[in-house]
Amino acid sequence: MTDGKVLLAYSGGLDTSCILVWLKDQGYEVLCYMADVGQEEDFEAAREKALKIGATKVFIEDLRREFVDELIYPAVQANCIYEGVYLLGTSLARPVIARRQIDIARQEGCAYVSHGCTGKGNDQVRFELAFYALQPDIKVIAPWRVREFYDRFQGRADLLAYASEKGIPVVQTTSKPWSTDENLFHISYEAGILEDPDVTPPVDMWKLTVAAEDAPNTPERITIAFEKGIPVKVTNKDDGSVVTGSLEIFMYLNTLARKHGIGRVDIVENRFIGIKSRGCYETPGGTILRVAHMDLEGLTVDREVRAHRDQHLTPAFSNILYNGLYYSPERSFVTSSITSSQVTVNGEVRLKLYKAHVSVEGRSSATEQLYDMEESSMDVQGGLSPQDSEGFIKVQAIRIKKWGESVIRNGGKF
Amino acid sequence: MTDGKVLLAYSGGLDTSCILVWLKDQGYEVLCYMADVGQEEDFEAAREKALKIGATKVFIEDLRREFVDELIYPAVQANCIYEGVYLLGTSLARPVIARRQIDIARQEGCAYVSHGCTGKGNDQVRFELAFYALQPDIKVIAPWRVREFYDRFQGRADLLAYASEKGIPVVQTTSKPWSTDENLFHISYEAGILEDPDVTPPVDMWKLTVAAEDAPNTPERITIAFEKGIPVKVTNKDDGSVVTGSLEIFMYLNTLARKHGIGRVDIVENRFIGIKSRGCYETPGGTILRVAHMDLEGLTVDREVRAHRDQHLTPAFSNILYNGLYYSPERSFVTSSITSSQVTVNGEVRLKLYKAHVSVEGRSSATEQLYDMEESSMDVQGGLSPQDSEGFIKVQAIRIKKWGESVIRNGGKF
Amino acid sequence: MTDGKVLLAYSGGLDTSCILVWLKDQGYEVLCYMADVGQEEDFEAAREKALKIGATKVFIEDLRREFVDELIYPAVQANCIYEGVYLLGTSLARPVIARRQIDIARQEGCAYVSHGCTGKGNDQVRFELAFYALQPDIKVIAPWRVREFYDRFQGRADLLAYASEKGIPVVQTTSKPWSTDENLFHISYEAGILEDPDVTPPVDMWKLTVAAEDAPNTPERITIAFEKGIPVKVTNKDDGSVVTGSLEIFMYLNTLARKHGIGRVDIVENRFIGIKSRGCYETPGGTILRVAHMDLEGLTVDREVRAHRDQHLTPAFSNILYNGLYYSPERSFVTSSITSSQVTVNGEVRLKLYKAHVSVEGRSSATEQLYDMEESSMDVQGGLSPQDSEGFIKVQAIRIKKWGESVIRNGGKF
Amino acid sequence: MTDGKVLLAYSGGLDTSCILVWLKDQGYEVLCYMADVGQEEDFEAAREKALKIGATKVFIEDLRREFVDELIYPAVQANCIYEGVYLLGTSLARPVIARRQIDIARQEGCAYVSHGCTGKGNDQVRFELAFYALQPDIKVIAPWRVREFYDRFQGRADLLAYASEKGIPVVQTTSKPWSTDENLFHISYEAGILEDPDVTPPVDMWKLTVAAEDAPNTPERITIAFEKGIPVKVTNKDDGSVVTGSLEIFMYLNTLARKHGIGRVDIVENRFIGIKSRGCYETPGGTILRVAHMDLEGLTVDREVRAHRDQHLTPAFSNILYNGLYYSPERSFVTSSITSSQVTVNGEVRLKLYKAHVSVEGRSSATEQLYDMEESSMDVQGGLSPQDSEGFIKVQAIRIKKWGESVIRNGGKF
């Protein structure tokens, strides 16, 4: 590792361009790294810009398939969600981005990595905990936490002045009044005008999905087939499309969901560092998959397996992801039981997409038989004798009667 | 208590009418009890029918307000949900129904209570565990679990024949190909053609809500004000309505949600007795309240309080309700912390209702200040120094670095 | 499967001998099965007795090693305990006993299995749920739940009379005033005079261990080595013994613990069927292993892995075992993460055994390095800068200060 | 608040004496605060020393009763324990100490508080989070995290040199090779020679309890009476003592436990900041109370209440205490259900104390009747019909059979 070399996570935007030049001015050799996790971005323009303003090398890496296979689908299998609403889109991309950054830093002999995250958010934590796990002796430069840097750049105007002084090309001289983070799973909007939690986001903020009002007036119906909790085929009966392949399925669901206005949420959440924060998110395809996967679990997963999983694996994995602890012993432990929970999640779910809403219209499984139509039937006895229910209730009642007697004895009321 | 007297939970329908007459034939004096929990029902017609076919007394009790105040709102406060989807509408009504039934049984000196629940469902358990808690020495007659009864009545035809023989008036000679349970919180549909989980429910099954396709093409916007997690006022800016009063608010939200097609779900769930079962539900007003309440908690509840509540109180109370253990020591224990969790849930949520979807457009609280716009801001330093984040991350990393070193030492891959 | 053949779990005692004869009188061909799980028993005498009174075959199976390897050591790895005190000795033996019983029933073509468990205990549930999982169409005859049987045999006198009438040899005409269940992991005592929870067990009841007062006046010191959470070697420095082999280690620890009076407990516990019950237990070797294993986990397991495991795997697996659900989907799910939790549990624990007490005198690990003496040191800075702690505390305090302000604003007191 | 005034938590020892003088040299007016939480200390000597070396005021506060009533007994009610072994003695004292320190700081107009905790331990976190909750704008001076201070005082020699230079009286010129923290609940030993986790603590380290080998050769028997989970009377049948009063009971149990060598533990634990640390503890009276309280809960607490409490309240409250979050919204939430869990914990437990071991010899409750000797009896039918157990098992088996069929169908093995 060379003390003078730093691998910067570069976006092409104003902030990381200024950081690039500032790092060079501090005496570092700066290499740039851009991860393609599905965000809309002109990667080649960014490459040229980086080289132009002084990067000695630029690495652009397509991580989309590993993002889907290693992060998104396990999160779907585990029904991950944060605080009941947020599908964790930003968190999910961080582990693949950080891993490749460390790989390249190692390969290029960089003793340092750097990023443009602010000092109050979750992402600094997510990136750095991943860096430290993957390369415990890595040195991290977080300019927004370096006094010299943040004292100098107190607002956008300071960055623009610096860009002008240093010959950094600037595309937009004004920025949107919010920040975003985008990948193929989602886009987030926060900060700026959104900091007032009672301000309704402007209609033109939402980028990925159409408004429900503008979505088609006719529903569209699809069938998603799962194997071991992972989507393996999507069939669109309306237009005859059949899609397979992990990334391809995800992209296709994104297209459908965007068209039908599916996946917008707006919440006040709690950041890892303990600050409440307002965030708006669009997670189109992920929202469809969540509905479908949970539904198929109803048909194919044992009640107690589901209860244990819901009680522990789902919230634990969700928090681990949110807090940036993907590379941690607890994540290895917690996810070690995903496979066991998903072994029976085989079958198909039929969905209707209409005006921001995903509804289930039916589900079936050719292989799993925990659902037994005859046993379930109210009209047929099935294997169960009514006397058995009698005994079941009587035994459940032993403890309850004892308690009822004691409440009554103590004059309590119910 | 008189051994010859039985208080029957009577619905006016074919099943419980036959049970009434059958009980009388067994030598019991039969009193009838009908709980008004908001279901659409001609109570007076049912009263006349019961008296006509042999009931010695009929009690019709309006339990709607206690249902809302004692069951529905605490469930809203706790965000109760079963298996991620079902809002527990049937379960929620059982405790108030059973409690009044035992009260009347005691007052009238009935040693027995009876009901028309089948021997394979949840409701037999819910009613009877409640009966046994409230009156541990009560005797329960569950005809659908009495061999003599269920051998005799093997299908609807047998019931119709009996009705004809005994002069029981029958309104409908054919029944719908599913069963329902209705109250002011919800309606359920199960059994019959729904037993095939891949059959899409017919469009004319849904009774409470319009189809999304038939809902208005214009959104409607309302504001719900909460105090300590309970809705205290709904304002409709579109038409100027302002509604207060616990039952009144709930009924008003029902009206709006029905109009906009809000609250339909279709799932395969796990019954208490371990059988998988397909159920369709409409929970109109309850669905709006869930969205609003969870959103306001984001703004006003501390992160760790929420996490502890989500991890324990919510699933525990939901299971207790589903399994019919409302009158139990564990319910008393589990709900003892609801108040503490809701003390800060004060404020307003602005919602948009449109085509089956409820979306949040903003939220505010005049009294709670856990959300701090300046602290949250990405542009302003607030109380937090960037160095503090540095230290926070470094301390979090101690454990993670140790682990990373050990994975690397052991040649593991990440 | 032949409808006339039943495989009876036979103990050689009065109860199961009467059951054997009674089953024969009901027209069954009776085969007998005895599992050797380490209990003190004259198996050959029992075999002769069974054949003499009419069994057509007798199977005596040594299950000790699979009991240790498949049940006891996984329970040690997971620190299983029921209600904070009971190490689950009876529950742990049931799965291996039931599995072999079903194997033999299948091999011998028996359509029935039978056992001598009472109708109020846990063991009937444990055996039968295992039978039904392993062979869902098996038919179970539980004579103590058959009216004809339990009406006839209302007490020991009835059994003795029947034995005399049928020529069943009886060794003891009086029985101990309590019941026991023994295997190589433990012995339990319950019922009889122990039913009064305030009666101190008589000193001569305890069979496996000496009283602390009678234990040696000199401590004995041993070292237990673990690999992946499983004991692989015990060294006794006092006498130079070195023991390896899973069963051999367990037997050796039993010998030591019995000599030092280790492993007695006396509790009131809650049975699966909801009845409270008083039980006394001796678990000699298991008690030593629990202390040693938990201690080594302190040195070698990551904090968060341990916390997640303690919060979910330990209580879940313990309850599953107690309730007889070893052969269940939830057990498969829950234990699927044991391996992941134990991968670092490698090292040695030094123990002192003295007068019913096990104390830890030191622990070490040649391979695991999560414990870092320098980092831990209060005298040396290690990798941690004091400023980092400052930042850690300041970030933790963000949320706490906000709460403190709000308590103060609302005039609350702390 | 005056910017020049600091309230220092003073112990009379070398560290805090040097801090006192150093703070004065920095220009502060220093007031000293000593909390009497039951540690053995010459408080008056410390007062004189503080005044002599420059404190302008000294506050010595007896907090022993509030420590027992507000912290220790609630922890006993909740069976608090950290990582299965440690009874949280240091953590438990911090909240009462910090609260009085803030009270006095406020009363005396001190804008600052200070303490002598190191920068790698738990106590800095516990004190400061409490300070910030109770007085969010308080300023904390932690000299061991101030570069100027810790660079100057790199070892005991530097402190001694400073003391000599500044005229600070020094009693001991050598210190013990470990650190301690003492209060009436416990004493801790850590650091120094204990940092090697395989070093057995020297026999003369243990201060509060005798070694088991030196404890009396005759057991002593006592009875502890609880009301709502709190000890209200201890009776010693051997010598006729009867003790009442919360502090008095605790002190008496301490005396007995010290005499019998009860309450020593030695563990490697995980600090809040993520470092593993070895600690030895003596918790004499607390160890007796834990055994007694848990035993009485077996007799008097409903199974499901206990299970819910064990699963959530116990670990949550224990972690909150360990991590110094006593004054936090989550602590208020979590402990809000203690009362509900303890309402039935009324009765007496009979214990035997002998050679480091506490054993239960019986328990009873005059008021609680969840334990029912007849119902529990294996000889008497009680309220339960054997057929009921049959039904209970059959219903439990529905799910299990379905699963067994599917395992068999898929060729799985059990």
Side-chain angles (χ1 to χ4, degrees), chain D residues 163-352:
Chain D
S164 161
E165 176 196 336
K166 298 287 179 176
I168 301 170
V170 176
V171 179
Q172 295 170 289
T173 47
T174 59
S175 76
K176 300 228 159 151
W178 53 73
S179 307
T180 63
D181 175 73
E182 187 185 354
N183 60 51
L184 62 84
F185 190 69
H186 99 329
I187 186 168
S188 68
Y189 309 90
E190 61 172 1
I193 58 167
L194 300 174
E195 284 169 5
D196 178 347
D198 206 21
V199 162
T200 307
V203 289
D204 66 347
M205 178 191 80
W206 305 100
K207 177 184 163 186
L208 298 186
T209 63
V210 301
E213 291 88 333
D214 301 329
N217 290 316
T218 328
E220 192 159 8
R221 286 174 168 85
I222 59 170
T223 300
I224 306 181
F226 288 86
E227 284 178 12
K228 300 193 187 309
I230 289 174
V232 292
K233 189 170 70 174
V234 178
T235 311
N236 185 330
K237 297 214 171 113
D238 295 348
D239 69 5
S241 312
V242 176
V243 183
T244 57
S246 62
L247 177 58
E248 293 72 14
I249 283 172
F250 197 80
M251 300 300 272
Y252 180 66
L253 292 174
N254 263 348
T255 305
L256 293 178
R258 288 171 172 222
K259 170 179 162 193
H260 290 284
I262 290 161
R264 293 181 178 185
V265 298
D266 175 346
I267 65 165
V268 175
E269 74 197 48
N270 294 286
R271 290 191 204 137
F272 189 21
I273 61 167
I275 291 175
K276 283 189 179 289
S277 164
R278 195 264 193 98
C280 298
Y281 303 98
E282 290 172 288
T283 316
T287 300
I288 295 178
L289 275 178
R290 176 173 171 81
V291 172
H293 181 263
M294 286 181 68
D295 183 75
L296 187 58
E297 287 198 332
L299 186 73
T300 58
V301 176
D302 173 78
R303 178 184 67 189
E304 295 301 310
V305 170
R306 186 165 183 170
H308 283 288
R309 196 273 319 273
D310 288 351
Q311 186 187 326
H312 192 67
L313 169 53
T314 301
F317 190 21
S318 301
N319 277 306
I320 285 168
L321 286 167
Y322 189 83
N323 292 338
L325 289 156
Y326 182 80
Y327 298 109
S328 70
E330 62 266 36
R331 200 273 306 164
S332 293
F333 173 66
V334 164
T335 58
S336 70
S337 57
I338 289 183
T339 300
S340 171
S341 75
Q342 297 296 297
V343 71
T344 59
V345 186
N346 305 302
E348 298 193 341
V349 181
R350 295 187 299 106
L351 301 168
K352 178 176 116 180

Side-chain angles (χ1 to χ4, degrees), chain C residues 338-355:
Chain C
I338 289 183
T339 300
S340 172
S341 76
Q342 296 297 296
V343 71
T344 58
V345 186
N346 305 303
E348 299 193 339
V349 181
R350 296 188 296 107
L351 301 168
K352 178 176 118 179
L353 314 179
Y354 177 66
K355 295 276 187 190

